[in-house]
Amino acid sequence: MRNRNIKINVFLNEDENKILNEKVKRSGLNKSEFFRKIILDYQLKEKPDEKFYEILSQLRGMATNLNQMARTYNKYQGYMREDKINPLLNQIQNFILALQEVYLIPQKEKNVSGW
């Protein structure tokens, strides 16, 4: 049985509808979910771009590798070959640089207005 049985109609003008649709799209929610979150005092945020999810996946992979190395280190009472550690350290450093480039280093905006 449906938990929500009250339907609400809302009238908007063209501009309001355009703004609503843009915000709903940026949130990654459908309109019903969007309104419920707002009503329940959630502070909505834009859905991250695809690059964010790629970076998150890379971070998970590095964490898995690091965990496996820690297990090996513990298994052999502190012995770890440098040729196993250095590639991961380089990968982590490159990851940090890529993360900074995407989310911290200012980028010039593309000129949309034609100026």
Side-chain angles (χ1 to χ4, degrees), residues 10-30:
V10 178
F11 291 93
L12 305 173
N13 65 32
E14 291 280 332
D15 292 336
E16 293 166 339
N17 189 49
K18 184 185 283 187
I19 291 167
L20 171 64
N21 288 329
E22 288 172 7
K23 288 184 177 189
V24 167
K25 183 177 180 181
R26 287 194 317 247
S27 74
L29 304 170
N30 65 41

Side-chain angles (χ1 to χ4, degrees), residues 1-6 36:
M1 183 170 150
R2 178 178 244 174
N3 191 18
R4 296 177 179 93
N5 58 3
I6 299 172
R36 282 194 292 274

Side-chain angles (χ1 to χ4, degrees), residues 75-89:
K75 181 178 179 180
Y76 296 108
Q77 287 85 34
Y79 174 75
M80 178 64 67
R81 291 176 30 192
E82 274 190 46
D83 65 328
K84 298 290 183 185
I85 296 172
N86 288 336
L88 180 60
L89 291 176

Side-chain angles (χ1 to χ4, degrees), residues 61-63 65-67 69 83-93:
M62 287 184 275
N65 290 344
L66 188 58
N67 188 34
M69 289 178 158
D83 65 328
K84 298 290 183 185
I85 296 172
N86 288 336
L88 180 60
L89 291 176
N90 289 336
Q91 186 182 9
I92 292 171
Q93 288 172 338

